[in-house]
């Protein structure tokens, strides 16, 4: 085997090894458990602006965050079985009924 072929094979082996090593590092970094003081879950701001604008945040176990800003409306509801009812959106309109199911 020629010297150039041996060098190319050695270089190719080193490149493959480095690629596998970097991939393993990235995978282990993505699967690490966040520290105990890291929030996880859906969080909503307790107080909105006078115009009803607020924020809600989704903290994920993988350490990522999605933040949303928009109108937050608080409304009284009643619940019966798998249906909740909220007030109508217009003065003489019918109440809004929503049927839901909780799985799991």
């Amino acid at each position: 085997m020629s010297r150039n072929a041996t060098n190319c094979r050695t270089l190719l082996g080193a490149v493959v090894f480095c690629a596998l090593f970097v991939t393993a590092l990235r995978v282990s970094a993505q699967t690490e458990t966040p520290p105990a003081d890291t929030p996880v879950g859906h969080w909503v701001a307790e107080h909105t602006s006078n115009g009803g604008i607020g924020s809600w945040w989704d903290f994920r176990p993988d350490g990522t965050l999605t933040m949303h800003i928009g109108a937050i409306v608080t409304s009284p509801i009643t619940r019966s079985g798998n249906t909740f009812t909220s007030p109508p959106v217009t003065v003489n309109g019918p109440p809004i009924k929503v049927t839901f199911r909780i799985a799991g």
Side-chain angles (χ1 to χ4, degrees):
M1 184 179 286
S2 74
R3 194 171 192 181
N4 284 340
T6 303
N7 287 343
C8 285
R9 225 175 242 201
T10 303
L11 181 60
L12 180 61
V15 168
V16 169
F17 174 77
C18 288
L20 290 174
F21 183 72
V22 169
T23 301
L25 284 177
R26 290 185 70 190
V27 168
S28 69
Q30 291 174 357
T31 58
E32 287 180 10
T33 303
D37 62 348
T38 300
V40 174
H42 186 77
W43 298 66
V44 179
E46 185 175 353
H47 301 286
T48 61
S49 70
N50 289 337
I53 303 299
S55 62
W56 52 101
W57 311 324
D58 291 315
F59 292 92
R60 294 187 189 86
D62 66 359
T64 60
L65 162 71
T66 302
M67 186 173 106
H68 307 275
I69 298 174
I72 296 179
V73 179
T74 302
S75 173
I77 65 167
T78 57
R79 187 178 79 93
S80 176
N82 65 348
T83 302
F84 73 81
T85 306
S86 66
V89 292
T90 60
V91 176
N92 295 318
I96 299 169
K97 293 187 180 221
V98 176
T99 302
F100 63 94
R101 180 175 70 96
I102 300 174

